[in-house]
C-alpha cells in the first residue's frame, strides 16, 4: 500500500495475518495478509459479513492476539516486539469497547470500580483524585455520580454501553477499537451511543477503528472505510468514494442491500443479490476469496489471488477486474 503522509499516521498495518490452528492440520485464516493505515484523529470503518475477520483484525491490531505474520506499527514502533513497561504503556494508549455490554462488565463490581479498572492497573490516580476521575467520566458519558456505587445489572443496555465507554476512556487513551458497540442495543438508543462516541472523539482527540456489519451506519461516522471478506481486505477508500463509486463487486452487493429512503427509487432500483453462502475460511481455495459468489468471475479469479492495489487516488481494491 503506498504511503500516506507519514506524520498523519497513527497505525500502519502491514501484511497482517492471523491464523488459528483448528485441529487435524486445518488452518483457519481469519485475517490473511491485510494492509492499511489509520490516520490520527480519524474514524476508520471496518465492515463485512459475520465471520469475515473484523474482530480478529481489531484484536490483533491491539496486540490482544499475537499476529501469525506481518506488522502493526504504532507511531513508528512495531507493537509485537513490545515487552514489560513499553507493552503496558501501549495498552494504556489503545483500548477496546465491546459489542456486548452485558458480558463485558463484571457483575460483582460497582460501576465506579469498573470505570477505574484501568486507572488502578496503571496506578494513575488514588483516593480523592480517583473518585474525581470516576465522576468526571460518568459526566462525560451522560451518567450520574450516584451511579458509581451501583452494579451493572441495575442498568439498561445503553447505559451499560456508556459504562463500557467510560471504562475505556478513563485511562485517557489515543486509539479505540469500537467492536460493534451498538449492534446489541435497541435501535432507538443506537444513535445516542454513536453520537456520544462522536462527541467524545472530538473532545478527546481520539482515533477510532469502528467495526460494524451495517454499511449505512459506518457511512455516517467514518472518514474512510475498509470492506473485508473472508479474511481479506476487498476495498478501501474514503467513505465518500466508497459509497459514490464502489469498485469491488462485493462492495456493490453490500451497498445494494441497503434500502433507499425514497420509496419511488427503492421500488424501481435494481438490487444485486449475493448468491450462495460465505465459504469456509478453513484451508481456503486459491484465487480470489469472493470468486465463488462473483458474477463477473473469470478463470484467473479462481486461480490467483488479486493484488490489493491503488486504482484511484487513495482508493484501493483487490479484484482482477481492475
Ligand atoms: N479464537 C479462535 N479460534 C479459532 N477460530 C476463531 C477464533 N476467533 C475467531 N475465529 C474464527 O475466525 C473467523 C473470523 O472471526 P471474527 O470473530 O474475527 O469475525 P467477525 O467479522 O468479527 O464476525 P462477527 O461479525 O460475527 O463478529 C471466524 O471464522 C471465526 O470462527
Ligand atoms: Mg466480531
Amino acid at each position: 500500500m503506498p504511503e500516506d503522509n507519514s506524520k498523519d499516521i497513527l497505525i500502519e498495518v502491514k501484511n497482517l495475518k492471523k491464523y488459528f490452528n483448528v485441529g487435524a492440520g486445518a488452518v483457519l485464516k481469519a485475517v490473511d495478509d491485510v494492509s492499511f493505515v489509520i490516520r490520527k484523529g480519524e474514524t476508520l470503518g471496518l465492515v463485512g459479513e459475520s465471520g469475515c475477520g473484523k474482530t480478529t483484525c481489531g484484536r490483533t491490531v491491539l496486540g490482544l492476539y499475537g499476529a501469525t505474520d506481518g506488522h502493526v506499527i504504532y507511531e513508528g514502533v512495531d507493537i509485537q516486539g513490545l515487552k514489560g513497561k513499553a507493552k503496558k504503556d501501549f495498552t494504556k494508549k489503545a483500548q477496546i469497547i465491546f459489542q456486548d455490554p452485558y458480558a463485558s462488565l463484571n457483575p460483582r463490581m460497582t460501576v465506579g470500580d469498573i470505570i477505574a479498572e484501568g486507572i488502578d492497573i496503571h496506578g494513575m490516580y488514588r483516593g480523592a483524585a480517583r473518585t474525581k476521575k470516576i465522576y468526571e467520566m460518568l459526566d462525560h458519558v451522560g451518567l450520574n455520580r450516584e451511579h458509581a456505587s451501583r452494579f451493572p445489572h441495575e442498568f439498561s443496555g445503553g447505559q451499560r454501553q456508556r459504562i463500557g465507554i467510560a471504562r475505556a476512556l478513563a485511562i485517557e487513551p489515543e486509539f479505540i477499537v469500537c467492536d460493534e458497540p451498538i449492534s446489541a442495543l435497541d435501535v432507538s438508543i443506537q444513535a445516542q451511543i454513536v453520537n456520544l462516541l462522536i462527541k467524545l472523539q472530538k473532545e478527546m482527540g481520539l482515533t477510532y477503528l469502528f467495526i460494524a456489519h451495517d454499511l449505512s451506519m459506518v457511512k455516517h461516522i467514518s472518514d474512510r472505510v475498509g470492506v473485508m471478506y473472508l479474511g481479506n481486505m476487498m476495498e478501501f477508500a474514503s467513505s465518500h468514494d466508497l459509497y459514490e463509486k464502489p469498485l469491488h463487486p462485493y462492495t456493490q452487493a453490500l451497498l445494494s442491500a441497503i434500502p433507499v429512503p425514497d420509496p419511488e427509487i427503492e421500488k424501481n432500483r435494481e438490487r444485486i443479490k449475493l448468491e450462495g453462502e460465505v465459504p469456509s475460511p478453513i484451508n481456503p481455495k486459491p484465487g480470489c476469496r469472493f470468486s465463488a459468489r462473483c458474477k463477473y468471475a473469470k478463470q484467473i479469479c479462481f486461480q490467483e489471488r488479486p493484488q490489493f492495489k491503488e486504482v484511484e487516488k487513495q482508493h484501493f481494491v483487490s479484484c482482477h477486474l481492475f
Side-chain angles (χ1 to χ4, degrees), residues 50-51 53-56 99 179-180 211 213:
S50 185
K54 305 179 296 293
T55 294
T56 305
Q99 171 172 357
D179 190 359
E180 305 208 40
I211 296 174
H213 283 97

Side-chain angles (χ1 to χ4, degrees), residues 169-228:
L169 296 187
I171 59 172
E172 298 154 20
E174 300 169 343
F175 170 63
I176 301 191
V177 173
C178 306
D179 190 359
E180 305 208 40
I182 57 165
S183 38
L185 303 177
D186 245 40
V187 176
S188 59
I189 46 175
Q190 289 185 344
Q192 288 176 18
I193 297 296
V194 167
N195 291 337
L196 173 66
L197 287 168
I198 294 171
K199 175 185 93 107
L200 293 168
Q201 179 174 40
K202 285 196 191 118
E203 286 171 5
M204 304 173 81
L206 298 163
T207 303
Y208 288 154
L209 178 65
F210 194 102
I211 296 174
H213 283 97
D214 184 349
L215 262 170
S216 52
M217 163 56 59
V218 166
K219 175 186 185 182
H220 174 58
I221 65 159
S222 305
D223 299 290
R224 297 186 303 147
V225 176
V227 177
M228 283 185 78

Side-chain angles (χ1 to χ4, degrees), residues 137-162:
M137 291 320 301
L138 285 166
D139 287 345
H140 256 315
V141 299
L143 294 170
N144 304 321
R145 293 170 183 213
E146 299 81 68
H147 289 147
S149 55
R150 299 188 14 203
F151 290 89
H153 72 265
E154 300 174 56
F155 295 86
S156 70
Q159 286 175 319
R160 285 183 214 209
Q161 197 52 292
R162 289 173 193 267

